[in-house]
Amino acid sequence: MATTGAGAPAITAPSSSTFTASSPFSLKASRTSHRQSARRVSVNVRCVSSPPADTSYKTKVPRNANMAKLQAGYLFPEIARRRAAHLLKHPDAKIISLGIGDTTEPIPDVITNAMAERAHALSTIDGYSGYGAEQGEKKLRSAIAATYYADLGIEDADIFVSDGAKCDISRLQVLFGSKATIAVQDPSYPAYVDSSVIMGQTGLYQQDVQKYGNIEYMRCTPENGFFPDLSTVARTDIIFFCSPNNPTGAAASRDQLTKLVKFAKDNGSIIVYDSAYAMYISDDSPKSIFEIPGAKEVAIETASFSKYAGFTGVRLGWTVVPKELLFSDGHPVAKDFNRIVCTSFNGASNIAQAGGLACLSPEGLKAMHDVVGFYKENTKIIVDTFTSLGFNVYGAKNAPYVWVHFPGRNSWDVFAEILEKANVVTTPGSGFGPGGEGFVRVSAFGHRDNIIEAARRLKQLYK
């Protein structure tokens, strides 16, 4: 095939496409010279494609240049796209998804009954309610403070109920603004980095090192116990820190968090502490950053009911902004966050909040611990599987994620191998940052039968 112009294809007809004078394409010549020998005329047909004229209407509004910095799609939709492509290629494949951390087990009755009762009450005169407080219902805020922050000096007014920790991360980014500098664990949950890019806090993506400019990547490896060497970390305004960590599953110790709080104080930084998996902690690792003395002066904490009660679809979480936390000019951070919340959010669903209140009842807490225990049993099955195959495995003890090392391998290649040969979806470690290369994250969220079957397939693949 030849090409013309800017790489457009040109098609040259083969000899079999040569036309004679007696063909319909040369009818006139046939009639006037029918007694002459038919002349063979070689026709070189060149079909040059040109881009169709763009007739769509365009506004005069320029695209947000920060959106153009983002690399491909957000991690988990990209995994879903590749899963769908695999199913298109293998429509009979029985895929088991251990990729995105989405819960699978039913929400306990004690919680759904409370939501159903609240929903039904909305159809009555006495039970109907419209807009609620943007910060959340007082009963729920009080219950959160009493359940998770008793004796830590956190009050109802410090708590902002929301539709989930992920949403609050973006609201916090709006609070900090485009000129804030950030640090993230490497690897870490991609929402921290992507929201920073969208806000304009970063430079361009540097393909050679797989990092964005103007972000401080705090490398977390097996060698440093998945806690960064803070002596090598440059000062930033904001430090995003997740413990237990997604994706590595590592929970920071009390000593490590004490060092982190001191580091933030010494640098005048604010820690955004993501505690979405705190209920999975089974050792003496702190479940809240506010267990560390002085943390209220340098930290914000986000949390969620998603992975405790199966609220990934219900959507309910909270963020703690202590009154002691001040900007450099002395203005309370909580006051500005309250303004952001009141401007961009009308409050969490009243039905979801009824479920949250039920979660924190004695029966609800027991039910959530049972759900967490189920997923931790799944985690053990996954750990035992990879360990028996000779892999180095991390995390798992205090989190629903297993961080598996494939030395020298590209993590997307490992993802593709497991999907193609075992019909199991995992998450490539490099999707969480350059520090995740060579690892895959395996989620323990799944029905028990699926976990057992996935373990069987993985043993067959890597035996």
Side-chain angles (χ1 to χ4, degrees):
M1 178 179 290
T3 61
T4 63
I11 306 173
T12 302
S15 58
S16 60
S17 297
T18 301
F19 306 115
T20 67
S22 59
S23 72
F25 294 92
S26 306
L27 186 58
K28 182 177 180 181
S30 176
R31 287 175 177 172
T32 58
S33 56
H34 61 278
R35 286 181 294 181
Q36 298 177 4
S37 299
R39 291 176 299 162
R40 297 182 62 83
V41 181
S42 180
V43 180
N44 186 20
V45 181
R46 295 178 64 79
C47 301
V48 180
S49 67
S50 59
D54 188 353
T55 59
S56 57
Y57 173 77
K58 299 183 183 68
T59 71
K60 295 181 180 180
V61 180
R63 183 189 182 198
N64 180 346
N66 296 315
M67 296 299 297
K69 296 179 189 176
L70 292 170
Q71 296 300 296
Y74 186 67
L75 174 61
F76 298 110
E78 175 62 18
I79 289 173
R81 185 191 68 78
R82 297 191 185 208
R83 179 184 187 277
H86 180 73
L87 269 178
L88 195 62
K89 184 179 177 183
H90 306 284
D92 295 328
K94 306 298 183 185
I95 292 180
I96 297 174
S97 182
L98 303 180
I100 185 171
D102 192 5
T103 51
T104 58
E105 302 311 294
I107 298 172
D109 286 347
V110 64
I111 299 168
T112 55
N113 287 344
M115 289 193 287
E117 183 178 343
R118 183 66 172 271
H120 180 71
L122 292 174
S123 64
T124 68
I125 292 293
D126 292 337
Y128 177 77
S129 62
Y131 291 128
E134 292 91 344
Q135 304 82 4
E137 296 178 359
K138 182 170 177 53
K139 283 186 178 180
L140 179 56
R141 297 168 80 190
S142 297
I144 290 171
T147 303
Y148 295 112
Y149 305 103
D151 303 321
L152 297 181
I154 298 299
E155 301 176 355
D156 304 4
D158 300 326
I159 295 170
F160 296 80
V161 176
S162 72
D163 50 346
K166 183 178 182 180
C167 304
D168 275 346
I169 287 165
S170 290
R171 293 185 189 108
L172 288 169
Q173 291 283 32
V174 173
L175 171 72
F176 300 136
S178 61
K179 293 183 180 179
T181 55
I182 75 156
V184 297
Q185 291 159 290
D186 179 25
S188 67
Y189 183 47
Y192 313 139
V193 169
D194 282 12
S195 59
S196 298
V197 175
I198 292 169
M199 278 299 300
Q201 298 168 348
T202 75
L204 296 174
Y205 186 73
Q206 302 164 4
Q207 190 67 49
D208 56 335
V209 292
Q210 298 184 326
K211 297 179 180 180
Y212 285 96
N214 209 38
I215 290 182
E216 185 70 16
Y217 289 80
M218 304 185 296
R219 198 61 173 262
C220 298
T221 67
E223 290 72 29
N224 63 19
F226 297 103
F227 186 82
D229 179 358
L230 296 176
S231 68
T232 67
V233 176
R235 189 258 170 208
T236 61
D237 296 319
I238 310 301
I239 303 169
F240 284 98
F241 198 92
C242 179
S243 180
N245 177 263
N246 176 13
T248 67
S253 69
R254 190 170 303 276
D255 180 63
Q256 289 171 333
L257 290 181
T258 299
K259 291 177 181 177
L260 181 65
V261 168
K262 182 179 185 302
F263 179 77
K265 275 197 170 184
D266 289 346
N267 286 283
S269 305
I270 294 176
I271 301 166
V272 176
Y273 189 80
D274 187 342
S275 64
Y277 302 96
M279 192 175 277
Y280 287 81
I281 293 175
S282 56
D283 59 20
D284 60 355
S285 300
K287 293 181 172 64
S288 168
I289 189 68
F290 301 120
E291 294 181 38
I292 308 303
K296 291 194 294 295
E297 297 172 352
V298 294
I300 292 169
E301 182 166 297
T302 64
S304 171
F305 288 101
S306 288
K307 308 303 166 64
Y308 306 163
F311 272 27
T312 51
V314 174
R315 309 305 308 149
L316 191 68
W318 68 92
T319 289
V320 181
V321 188
K323 55 185 173 299
E324 293 88 347
L325 183 64
L326 306 176
F327 284 117
S328 59
D329 64 355
H331 189 79
V333 174
K335 284 191 175 181
D336 279 2
F337 188 62
N338 185 66
R339 186 70 170 84
I340 295 290
V341 168
C342 291
T343 299
S344 63
F345 187 51
N346 275 328
S349 157
N350 46 21
I351 298 172
Q353 290 190 73
L357 198 57
C359 286
L360 302 179
S361 68
E363 298 84 1
L365 285 168
K366 180 183 181 305
M368 287 197 297
H369 279 291
D370 289 345
V371 170
V372 168
F374 175 86
Y375 291 129
K376 287 176 73 70
E377 290 171 1
N378 283 352
T379 305
K380 185 177 185 307
I381 294 171
I382 297 168
V383 168
D384 290 346
T385 297
F386 280 103
T387 301
S388 71
L389 294 167
F391 289 95
N392 287 326
V393 177
Y394 305 95
K397 179 181 179 181
N398 294 312
Y401 299 123
V402 182
W403 191 237
V404 187
H405 196 196
F406 288 79
R409 298 284 306 275
N410 176 283
S411 56
W412 275 108
D413 289 346
V414 176
F415 165 87
E417 177 179 78
I418 295 174
L419 177 59
E420 186 69 28
K421 297 181 179 180
N423 290 316
V424 174
V425 176
T426 57
T427 305
S430 60
F432 299 97
E437 187 59 271
F439 292 84
V440 295
R441 190 195 75 175
V442 185
S443 167
F445 295 116
H447 301 310
R448 183 60 49 80
D449 289 349
N450 284 342
I451 298 294
I452 293 171
E453 173 61 16
R456 185 193 68 78
R457 295 181 192 178
L458 290 165
K459 286 180 180 178
Q460 183 67 27
L461 174 59
Y462 291 115
K463 65 180 179 181

